[in-house]
Amino acid sequence: MASQSLPSNYHKVESPEDLQAKLSAALDKVSVLYFRTDWAEPCKTMDGVMLELAKRYEDVLFLSVEAEALPDISESFEVDAVPYFILLRGHTLLTRLSGAQPSVLSAALKSHASKPSALSASSQQPLAAKTIYQPDEKASGAASASGTVAAGGQGDVEESDEELAARCDKLMKQSDVVLFMKGDRETPRCGFSQKIVGILDSQKIDYSTFDILQDEGVRQKLKEINEWPTFPQLIIKGEFVGGLDVVKEMEESGELQEMLQG
């Protein structure tokens, strides 16, 4: 879509620094972060919805984020699917919404944006903020069914750091090739995971997968163990290999098959 057709309050985020600058310049405003990708069909619907809402709510800042081109931002907000929406007031996290749900997004905006243009002001009081977003930190909590942020936690079972590290080591050695990804090989939950599954399948590689969205402890510990901040992560014979870009290079050079045969 041509940039000149965008409303003045609708912007495409170019980098984490760009996001921080835009949010810092609008600390008194409600902002909507829209995480999208070109390949996800529901995003095509929500692209139009976002534009219409931007025209309706002139005092709200609408920010479009390419989820896979800017993984640092996606990771910081725990975005695990697209389309995905984060509503902020300044750096205060108001709510999260996942999926193509125009009516839910519109209702959330009506609740939080005090004076939408062309519409009467909402009689609803803004919902209480659930957490604070710091630009260099991960937003705490996970999205609940209602779209708001629920408190984080691992349930009733406490696991020591040593036990978690040992469990991760065991998971990394569960088979010769293990892919830690978002979703599983049948239903990848992000484009990066989808692409690396395609590479492994095309090379007829026998591998197992682990869905890091189902285990926050493993998700965070693997970032530390492998010194790699994003997913997917490919493990071969118990050793960390890399993410999508590394695996693509290894496939093209023939190194991937060589490593498996070694």
Side-chain angles (χ1 to χ4, degrees):
M1 181 175 297
S3 59
Q4 59 265 28
S5 66
L6 297 178
S8 60
N9 58 332
Y10 191 110
H11 305 278
K12 180 178 179 181
V13 173
E14 303 293 342
S15 66
E17 295 75 19
D18 182 36
L19 173 61
Q20 183 173 346
K22 284 181 167 60
L23 291 178
S24 296
L27 292 177
D28 59 337
K29 289 188 175 183
V30 170
S31 301
V32 180
L33 274 61
Y34 167 40
F35 292 86
R36 66 174 307 283
T37 63
D38 286 335
W39 59 265
E41 194 67 27
C43 290
K44 296 179 181 177
T45 297
M46 297 311 294
D47 286 346
V49 172
M50 280 285 286
L51 287 176
E52 289 304 312
L53 289 173
K55 294 173 184 176
R56 182 180 300 178
Y57 291 86
E58 294 179 353
D59 291 333
V60 173
L61 181 63
F62 290 81
L63 301 173
S64 175
V65 182
E66 293 298 321
E68 294 175 355
L70 297 168
D72 289 346
I73 298 177
S74 299
E75 286 288 324
S76 73
F77 283 100
E78 296 288 345
V79 172
D80 55 22
V82 290
Y84 202 98
F85 302 88
I86 303 285
L87 272 66
L88 305 168
R89 179 175 282 107
H91 288 158
T92 301
L93 179 58
L94 299 174
T95 192
R96 300 169 176 265
L97 303 171
S98 182
Q101 305 181 75
S103 61
V104 176
L105 177 59
S106 181
L109 269 173
K110 185 177 180 181
S111 173
H112 292 294
S114 58
K115 294 181 180 179
S117 63
L119 291 178
S120 59
S122 171
S123 60
Q124 293 178 277
Q125 293 296 316
L127 301 177
K130 302 297 183 179
T131 191
I132 302 297
Y133 165 63
Q134 300 296 337
D136 297 324
E137 296 179 3
K138 189 178 299 297
S140 63
S144 68
S146 65
T148 59
V149 175
Q154 298 300 320
D156 297 329
V157 180
E158 289 293 334
E159 187 175 29
S160 71
D161 190 65
E162 291 78 11
E163 290 171 334
L164 178 57
R167 186 159 66 89
C168 287
D169 182 68
K170 185 176 180 180
L171 287 170
M172 291 169 65
K173 295 175 179 175
Q174 64 181 295
S175 61
D176 281 351
V177 182
V178 185
L179 179 64
F180 290 89
M181 61 180 289
K182 295 179 180 180
D184 56 43
R185 63 193 301 172
E186 301 299 328
T187 313
R189 292 287 302 278
C190 77
F192 287 163
S193 294
Q194 182 182 51
K195 289 172 184 175
I196 204 168
V197 163
I199 290 173
L200 297 178
D201 287 347
S202 69
Q203 296 291 308
K204 295 181 169 46
I205 293 172
D206 186 21
Y207 65 100
S208 60
T209 65
F210 184 91
D211 184 0
I212 51 94
L213 298 178
Q214 302 301 316
D215 195 317
E216 186 64 17
V218 169
R219 177 178 185 164
Q220 298 305 328
K221 192 62 178 177
L222 283 177
K223 294 179 184 181
E224 176 186 327
I225 292 173
N226 296 327
E227 298 181 350
W228 196 264
T230 59
F231 291 90
Q233 294 185 10
L234 184 66
I235 312 298
I236 296 180
K237 299 179 180 177
E239 298 294 329
F240 172 68
V241 172
L244 176 60
D245 289 343
V246 173
V247 173
K248 285 175 65 177
E249 292 176 3
M250 292 177 65
E251 178 200 21
E252 293 167 0
S253 67
E255 187 180 353
L256 185 58
Q257 287 290 356
E258 290 175 8
M259 181 176 288
L260 290 169
Q261 294 166 3

